Amino acid sequence: LDCSLAAARLHWHGVWNFDRTAQETVAWYRAHQEGGDVGALTSRQIDTYQRDAAGAGLPWAGGPRS
């Protein structure tokens, strides 16, 4: 995945490392396979990602402005 355009225009960069991203992806697919509520899981994952981004100080996530 090439995120260079988002980085250039929005000053965005990923917050989670590869392992964390893979864990969250596997969790989603497992929930889907098992008939879980993937909508609720997705919402929780987005909330967690945004919270982690804010904690990392990223302005787009409500962190301090640079």
Side-chain angles (χ1 to χ4, degrees), residues 37-45:
D37 186 351
V38 293
L41 175 59
T42 300
S43 291
R44 286 192 306 274
Q45 288 175 327

Side-chain angles (χ1 to χ4, degrees), residues 29 46 60:
Y29 277 100
I46 291 169
W60 62 262

Side-chain angles (χ1 to χ4, degrees), residues 21-23 39 42 49 55 61:
T21 301
Q23 289 171 356
T42 300
Y49 189 86

Side-chain angles (χ1 to χ4, degrees), residues 3-24:
C3 301
S4 61
L5 187 60
R9 293 193 180 172
L10 303 173
H11 307 288
W12 180 92
H13 67 82
V15 177
W16 293 343
N17 63 21
F18 177 83
D19 290 340
R20 176 67 186 273
T21 301
Q23 289 171 356
E24 297 296 337

Side-chain angles (χ1 to χ4, degrees), residues 26-38 41:
V26 167
W28 189 94
Y29 277 100
R30 281 190 179 144
H32 182 267
Q33 183 68 27
E34 296 169 1
D37 186 351
V38 293
L41 175 59

